[in-house]
Amino acid sequence: MSGTVTAVLGTDAPARLEVDRLLDDPQTRIVVCCGSGGVGKTTTAAALGVRAAERGRRVVVLTIDPARRLAQSMGIDSLDNTPRRVAGVGGSGGASGGGELHAMMLDMKRTFDEIVEAHADAERSRAILENPFYQSLSAGFAGTQEYMAMEKLGQLRARDDWDLIIVDTPPSRSALDFLDAPKRLGSFLDGKFIRVLMAPAKVGGRAGMKFLNVGMSMMTGTLSKVMGGQLLKDVQTFVAAMDTMFGGFRTRADATYRLLQAPGTAFLVVAAPEPDALREAAYFVERLAAEDMPLAGLVLNRVHGSGAVQLSAERALAAAENLDEGGIVDQEPGKAGVRGSGTTPEDGSPAAVDEITAGLLRLHAERMQVIAREQQTRDRFTSLHPEVAVAEVAALPGDVHDLAGLRAIGDRLAAGGPAGV
Amino acid sequence: MVSGKGGTGKTTVAAALALALATEGRRTLLVEVEGRQGIAQLFGTEALPYEERKIAVAPGGGEVFALAIDAERALLDYLQMFYKLGSAGRALKKLGAIDFATTIAPGLRDVLLTGKACEAVRRTDKAGRYVYDHVVMDAPPTGRVTRFLNVNDEVAGLARIGPIHHQAQAVMKVLKSPQTAVHLVTLLEEMPVQETADGRAELAEAGLPLGRVIVNMVRPHHLDEAALQAAAGKQRAGVAQALSRAGLGGARRGGLAERLVDPLLEQAAEHAERVGLERAQRAVLDGLGVSTYELPLLGRGMDLAGLYELATELRKQVSAE
């Protein structure tokens, strides 16, 4: 009995993610595309942007690290940290009026510099920008990119120039980094540790804190030993210069976090039908639920389909072997057994045609194996998270690097059904 | 060091390489640094702790050990070893100093991770023999690997004196020596190949030794362009008849076999397009002048048997040189 139930659960298709409804809904203000590396996040974000703009919305796409040709196709191959209008999308070019697409590529150092410049006077900000520790920090330790992506998202949202912001997330070691890193950086910059670095003397002034002070000077002493006195000094100088901005960092990180939880934000978890990518996707789905962040659904990229699913891999292979054997019989005397050597596809001899046909059948068998494997991987995800709506995007044979390709992806996203159906 | 763009299978390739290098009685250590427990998943074991643990036996009696390096634990060990910190270490942790050092402070985390790997490389037993014949690291992706490995520039520039500085220098000495090779895993697709080209240039600039480019998931090519055109053109009816002869139904218009022709041709056309793109990417790789190894795409997906298959394949290509 339970076996039957499992079987039913296993074959139950998940709800279809209605991409157009999500994009058309004026309440949708932010779409965040997240997922592990190499699953097509950037392409998905760009395709959603093109589609939304052509359906009449004023869209900005924030990309982190696009492929060169994809960036070129949107005219954002120059990295200048400012949204640029993408020519040929929406507006006069599109059927529906009013839509526009803007796109930008994140420059994390510049974004960090801008925060500093906005919050400190000229002299102080110069001191910060020239500090070696700041330079290293802003050029990219783990987390800066994530923090700056969220910072930029906050800025774009505050400008209110667009009615839809689509964000691509950084290629982190794990999809979850993108949620955690800003908080980590924010709490570091505001944390106790910074206070210790900054003001051991201040704390020591109070009699009751004497014991603590011994501990702290031992600690700064240790830190000095471990990091080298000069690095510690750079950090301390940096911290002193940033003093006015502290508090601000955590507040900003918290504000962005709340923005992500607000209605109007929709998360799309992007994955490919491979075990690693879907495992990451499952973690992310669970994490979003735990953080009360609104998940719109799963985009499953590069799903394979076939127009001949009625022909199983086994039958196709058996038929191909059948043709191989038949070919030997059909060979002219003297050529028997030597497959392929004397035949060309153009000569139309039965042996040549059999050979081509056997090739077609082997390709089909391979395709069916891929489909079965993908289906199995997907079913595993679906049985863990049956509540998650899914849009499947049929695999394209090549890379996408022009607007036509992005439109094609958009069409497939919106069709959303299993590939090949 | 095994790096590659996300999604190219660098963890799989690192594991296959560790197995291949352990063949015939040798011992390798497979190291993971990104806390993803990818090795455990690949070998079907429980999550790896922060200790070296045997996870596989290679053909011919070799052994593969695995270690998931945890930067925070590595730092505490390190502090304990050099400074006998005791409770001060716990206090530092409470303050967020360990967090600072392992996740925030630029480069420190990387020094700890590469430092631990270098320690394993240099470790000898009582008889003075190396404990591990090879250490294979599943390194961060191509986009970050140069920065990760080039700890000298990153940290020595910041910490110009002190133990971290010395540690960084000792690590760089191993990493820039002929003892080290940085292998880049790629697919025959535009983005991964582009990253491989960028990675190669960055490694060269940093003076880090590039090993091989490992082309992963290479598909077999079943049909050439000419055959495909013939099948779609004047041999179309012949294909339907061949399918029918093979027992797949009627070849007449609307027959079961005849209805297979279009979908099969469509799949073949996609295959041909992909083959063409792969050829173009292969040409780009050839233009880089790097030596490559090739690993096949395993149709049934990746499992332990597949891993051994890839290891055997690597072994074959290494010994063919």
Side-chain angles (χ1 to χ4, degrees):
Chain A
M1 208 38 207
S2 67
T4 321
V5 173
T6 317
V8 170
L9 281 176
T11 50
D12 233 8
R16 220 186 71 188
L17 169 64
E18 309 229 15
V19 170
D20 281 345
R21 196 153 73 182
L22 178 72
L23 295 180
D24 291 349
D25 183 353
Q27 305 293 319
T28 310
R29 302 297 305 275
I30 296 174
V31 173
V32 184
C33 299
C34 49
S36 55
V39 295
K41 271 192 305 256
T42 307
T43 308
T44 301
L48 288 171
V50 170
R51 189 165 185 90
E54 297 195 329
R55 296 175 72 85
R57 300 202 65 176
R58 254 181 86 76
V59 192
V60 62
V61 175
L62 168 58
T63 70
I64 310 296
D65 192 15
R68 223 154 283 175
R69 282 158 76 192
L70 179 64
Q72 279 164 4
S73 74
M74 295 197 292
I76 52 163
D77 46 323
S78 62
L79 192 141
D80 65 355
N81 218 23
T82 318
R84 302 267 171 221
R85 173 91 191 258
V86 179
V89 179
S92 54
S96 48
E100 270 178 38
L101 177 65
H102 298 246
M104 67 164 287
M105 197 179 348
L106 179 75
D107 178 343
M108 64 173 167
K109 173 144 180 45
R110 186 122 159 213
T111 305
F112 209 152
D113 291 355
E114 283 166 9
I115 302 177
V116 170
E117 281 161 355
H119 289 83
D121 58 52
E123 193 185 336
R124 199 180 269 264
S125 63
R126 205 185 58 240
I128 296 173
L129 298 184
E130 284 171 1
N131 183 289
F133 179 75
Y134 170 78
Q135 286 172 359
S136 194
L137 184 83
S138 60
F141 64 69
T144 308
Q145 203 175 34
E146 285 83 355
Y147 185 94
M148 292 309 140
M150 289 301 96
E151 173 68 31
K152 203 72 204 178
L153 170 62
Q155 288 176 9
L156 292 175
R157 185 70 178 81
R159 270 174 69 177
D160 215 17
D161 285 348
W162 297 276
D163 61 17
L164 179 64
I165 304 169
I166 298 179
V167 203
D168 171 25
T169 53
S172 311
R173 67 194 157 109
S174 119
L176 303 180
D177 264 11
F178 142 79
L179 282 180
D180 296 329
K183 270 203 161 167
R184 214 156 53 206
L185 178 59
S187 62
F188 156 66
L189 290 173
D190 275 349
K192 272 191 279 184
F193 181 57
I194 284 282
R195 305 271 159 232
V196 174
L197 285 181
M198 232 159 60
K202 263 191 265 173
V203 179
R206 274 172 272 166
M209 304 291 274
K210 264 229 165 82
F211 171 74
L212 191 55
N213 185 36
V214 174
M216 288 205 176
S217 53
M218 188 182 92
M219 244 163 268
T220 40
T222 307
L223 284 168
S224 171
K225 263 197 269 175
V226 175
M227 306 197 311
Q230 164 265 327
L231 170 56
L232 187 62
K233 214 171 134 240
D234 281 346
V235 175
Q236 281 171 326
T237 320
F238 166 73
V239 164
M242 296 278 276
D243 195 21
T244 51
M245 295 169 62
F246 289 136
F249 274 99
R250 192 187 232 138
T251 315
R252 296 166 85 85
D254 289 348
T256 313
Y257 215 71
R258 278 197 306 278
L259 185 62
L260 294 177
Q261 288 171 322
T265 299
F267 279 84
L268 287 177
V269 177
V270 185
E274 286 146 21
D276 287 347
L278 273 171
R279 198 176 309 119
E280 282 285 309
Y283 285 144
F284 207 83
V285 165
E286 287 152 22
R287 182 65 197 280
L288 287 174
E291 304 282 336
D292 289 325
M293 293 193 174
L295 172 68
L298 174 77
V299 171
L300 203 52
N301 276 329
R302 300 186 204 133
V303 177
H304 289 84
S306 171
V309 282
Q310 70 273 24
L311 179 58
S312 71
E314 294 74 20
R315 279 186 71 212
L317 281 178
E321 271 165 36
N322 196 335
L323 287 172
D324 288 345
E325 285 157 19
I328 295 171
V329 178
D330 285 350
Q331 295 277 352
E332 293 156 31
K335 276 191 183 173
V338 191
R339 298 255 7 142
S341 57
T343 57
T344 60
E346 291 80 6
D347 71 7
S349 71
V353 174
D354 280 4
E355 196 179 318
I356 297 169
T357 309
L360 290 173
L361 287 166
R362 289 208 167 83
L363 270 180
H364 178 69
E366 243 169 51
R367 174 68 65 96
M368 293 305 287
Q369 281 163 354
V370 169
I371 292 171
R373 200 181 64 227
E374 290 179 352
Q375 184 66 38
Q376 204 184 2
T377 313
R378 203 200 71 172
D379 284 351
R380 206 175 302 142
F381 177 88
T382 307
S383 58
L384 278 174
H385 297 288
E387 76 286 0
V388 178
V390 179
E392 294 190 357
V393 182
L396 290 169
D399 298 306
V400 173
H401 37 66
D402 55 19
L403 292 175
L406 290 175
R407 283 191 188 102
I409 293 275
D411 289 343
R412 287 168 188 228
L413 266 166
V421 175
Chain B
M1 298 287 171
V2 179
S3 179
K5 181 175 156 38
T8 57
K10 75 183 171 60
T11 303
T12 307
V13 171
L17 185 62
L19 264 177
L21 290 170
T23 317
E24 284 156 25
R26 279 188 287 262
R27 186 185 288 164
T28 58
L29 178 66
L30 177 58
V31 176
E32 174 171 66
V33 294
E34 302 221 286
R36 294 176 56 181
Q37 291 292 341
I39 295 174
Q41 271 150 17
L42 205 51
F43 284 90
T45 64
E46 57 193 81
L48 293 172
Y50 179 50
E51 68 183 36
E52 289 156 40
R53 178 170 281 202
K54 186 160 124 182
I55 50 159
V57 175
E63 294 173 318
V64 178
F65 283 69
L67 170 68
I69 304 181
D70 177 277
E72 193 173 292
R73 290 273 307 277
L75 178 61
L76 285 172
D77 284 0
Y78 174 82
L79 292 176
Q80 192 56 38
M81 201 171 4
F82 288 98
Y83 302 103
K84 311 271 180 290
L85 276 188
S87 62
R90 279 199 298 279
L92 279 174
K93 190 170 174 175
K94 228 172 160 185
L95 265 180
I98 300 294
D99 219 25
F100 163 77
T102 53
T103 62
I104 309 290
L108 293 192
R109 182 174 183 277
D110 298 348
V111 181
L112 290 164
L113 298 174
T114 47
K116 182 76 195 164
C118 286
E119 182 272 316
V121 168
R122 285 175 304 200
R123 195 188 309 155
T124 50
D125 61 15
K126 285 193 186 103
R129 285 187 304 259
Y130 285 117
V131 171
Y132 293 109
D133 297 286
H134 299 277
V135 176
V136 178
M137 184 189 276
D138 177 12
T142 326
R144 285 188 281 130
V145 75
T146 304
R147 181 182 284 272
F148 173 75
L149 295 175
N150 205 15
V151 282
N152 196 34
D153 277 11
E154 289 298 309
V155 173
L158 273 172
R160 272 168 236 136
I161 48 165
I164 295 274
H165 175 80
H166 292 304
Q167 167 89 349
Q169 289 214 313
V171 166
M172 280 326 289
K173 219 166 119 187
V174 174
L175 292 182
K176 290 194 174 174
S177 77
Q179 281 182 295
T180 302
V182 184
H183 303 296
L184 299 178
V185 183
T186 187
L187 306 177
L188 288 174
E189 290 172 14
E190 184 187 347
M191 275 287 275
V193 167
Q194 181 61 54
E195 277 204 12
T196 303
D198 294 347
R200 174 185 166 273
E202 285 169 20
L203 287 170
E205 200 180 322
L208 289 160
L210 176 70
R212 299 298 168 127
V213 169
I214 300 172
V215 185
N216 196 18
M217 304 185 209
V218 177
R219 279 158 237 257
H221 295 168
H222 288 291
L223 280 176
D224 62 19
E225 194 70 31
L228 185 63
Q229 273 173 13
K234 59 183 179 195
Q235 303 304 339
R236 203 176 177 289
V239 170
Q241 280 159 12
L243 288 171
S244 179
R245 263 206 313 286
L248 296 175
R252 285 183 329 277
R253 194 154 184 77
L256 285 178
E258 198 271 342
R259 273 187 290 161
L260 286 172
V261 177
D262 278 336
L264 292 190
L265 285 176
E266 195 186 319
Q267 284 169 196
E270 285 171 17
H271 174 74
E273 189 179 344
R274 179 169 270 286
V275 169
L277 290 166
E278 288 185 355
R279 199 174 293 136
Q281 293 307 322
R282 201 182 285 275
V284 175
L285 281 181
D286 289 345
L288 295 178
V290 291
S291 1
T292 57
Y293 292 140
E294 292 206 1
L295 293 174
L297 175 73
L298 300 178
R300 63 174 185 282
M302 204 52 222
D303 54 15
L304 202 54
L307 197 58
Y308 277 83
E309 207 176 299
L310 294 183
T312 310
E313 188 58 39
L314 271 176
R315 188 91 208 138
K316 224 167 29 191
Q317 294 182 33
V318 173
S319 49
E321 284 172 356

